Amino acid sequence: MNHVTFSPVSSQFNIQKVEAKPLTPSEAQKSFSSFLKDSIEKVNETQIQSDTLTEKLALGQEVDLHEVMIASQKASVTMQLTLEIRNKAVEAYQEMMRMQV
Amino acid sequence: MSIFHSMNTTASALTAQRLRMDIVSSNMANADTTRAKLVDGEWVPYRRKTVVMEPKESQFSSLLQVAMNTSRDQEVGSGVKVTNILEDETPYELVYDPEHPDANEEGYVQMPNVDPLREMVDLMSATRSYEANVTVLNASKNMLMKALEIGK
């Protein structure tokens, strides 16, 4: 689960480079959608890890109780973060829809 | 450094304290064991076991990142690990009990060098450390949850 890192967005998109050579809207959308997809997959990984650990505990296999609890807490925190991001995105969309034409 | 760095550190401490607890329970359970293992055809009593803890060494990747100045993992540290389980070499306790099956000609029995009082203190220490680390973990989670409330 160590690989769930949240580096600043600037390093992901490399803002300086974008200024030097502007992306076409389709390219920008593609890079953003792949970034979003990767992030959601990482969140899903934490959920799966929590599930497997819970299953192991239920099956009586050798796994520490605190490992299971911590995995579920990590899954919960990452899921909350995802929800907050989704809420912000929907909010932005609704703000756009309220715009006068 | 991942946002879960502190959680991973605490998890290693919890694992270490659990192992300490396991060792204490083993010592307590064997406080009267006179036949732990057979050495040269003679039974030897149980020896008290102790744990050796060391700070967890970082993985190669994080050491490389520190060398490249892209991460501070090494400076922060990444937890604790139990590197060894050693036996206490203090002499066995001699108890006069001629009826005991393992008594020698003079009627003395070698009993394990386990002191139940000392084990109780170790037990309390392990429990308290575990509790303290759970508190750290909860504080760490609360911090993340508070961060998610920014801008609400």
Side-chain angles (χ1 to χ4, degrees), chain B residues 28-71:
Chain B
M28 274 296 222
N30 286 293
D32 297 308
T33 304
T34 50
R35 297 183 180 187
K37 56 185 170 205
L38 208 53
V39 177
D40 303 328
E42 280 200 27
W43 285 106
V44 174
Y46 178 85
R47 273 200 182 279
R48 175 173 174 263
K49 287 179 174 42
T50 50
V51 290
V52 183
M53 291 192 190
E54 269 179 29
K56 201 184 224 166
E57 274 165 38
S58 297
Q59 310 215 316
F60 174 77
S61 58
S62 71
L63 286 174
L64 183 68
Q65 281 181 336
V66 172
M68 288 163 64
N69 259 331
T70 51
S71 167

Side-chain angles (χ1 to χ4, degrees), chain A residues 1-2 4-6 64 66-67 70 73-74 76-78 80-81 84 88, chain B residues 1-4 7-8 11 14-15 18 130 137 141 144-145 148 151-152:
Chain A
M1 227 172 277
N2 295 333
V4 188
T5 49
F6 293 87
D64 282 327
H66 61 257
E67 302 270 359
I70 290 171
Q73 290 302 303
K74 279 178 178 172
S76 147
V77 170
T78 45
Q80 281 291 326
L81 178 60
E84 290 299 330
K88 277 277 170 242
Chain B
M1 201 190 304
S2 127
I3 57 165
F4 292 128
M7 277 198 183
N8 292 333
L14 291 176
T15 309
R18 280 269 356 146
Y130 196 90
L137 188 102
K141 194 209 162 187
L144 291 173
M145 296 312 281
L148 286 177
K152 262 193 180 167

